[in-house]
Amino acid sequence: MFAEERQQLIAGLISASGRASVTDLAERFSITTETIRRDLAALEAAGSVRRVHGGAVSPERFSTTEESILERTVQRQPEKTRIAEAALALIPKDHSGSVLIDAGSSTEALADLLAARTAAGSAQNSGAELVVITHALPIAMKLSGEPGIALHLLGGKVRGLTQAAVGQSTVEAARRIRPDIAFIGTNGIHAAFGLSTPDPEEAAVKAAFVQSARRIVVLADSSKLDAETLVQFASLKDLDTLITDTKPSRALADALAEAGVEVVVA
């Protein structure tokens, strides 16, 4: 295979999956890691990929890149629905206890399913209420007025991109609660860097959620795996469960196992 042909294939793989490691590419093409590094250097010079430690990512994946919640809700919908279904199974059907639902497209899918389940089971759960806490306006709108749900909305300055409350008042409110389960969204989950998000104010709120809840469940589709964004808000050791739609890479899987994180592939 000519170098140009191999490089086109490498660029296609990284475009499809978002990233690739040097070692995995070397194994795939049965060539040395030095040759792969030269290929990645050529592709970066052409603007086709962006090199990172251990491999390369698609050029769109900068540490500060962040799509709006409206854009994210229409992406990877089948995968996010499967993730949300697995998360819903962790919420007691008898409406006992309390849950916190973080801002995000996967967590918003969970809110949709929770609203449908509570509406369908309202007759059986008459009088019982599940306490749901959120700082995300779209999630609050989906759950407001649903039978069997006592909704608590955390206030603060609303960030337009995510339609979620952020700021010191939101952080302080999060520190004063102790929900049974927190369902957390993330922009990246990485073996070494942990969980991250591009915005410092969002990161501060997420960090407070992680420190407040009794159990931390992260909802992350495969595009978030092995990704690093600007601000870390939790380490892998802070997590109890990761729900995703594909098996994590070897490096991430090993790091999750070492941290004692349960991985659920939906």
Side-chain angles (χ1 to χ4, degrees), residues 9 40 69 73 106 153 186 201 213 221 227:
L9 291 173
L40 294 179
I69 188 65
T73 52
S106 294
L153 178 61
T186 186
E201 288 190 307
D221 68 71

Side-chain angles (χ1 to χ4, degrees), residues 186-190 194-197 223-229 233:
T186 186
N187 295 76
I189 178 167
H190 188 270
L195 277 71
S196 60
T197 193
S223 69
K224 314 298 173 52
L225 303 184
D226 296 307
E228 299 168 277
T229 56
F233 66 85

Side-chain angles (χ1 to χ4, degrees), residues 80-91:
K80 291 174 181 178
T81 297
R82 296 200 306 271
I83 291 170
E85 288 171 345
L88 183 66
L90 302 180
I91 301 177

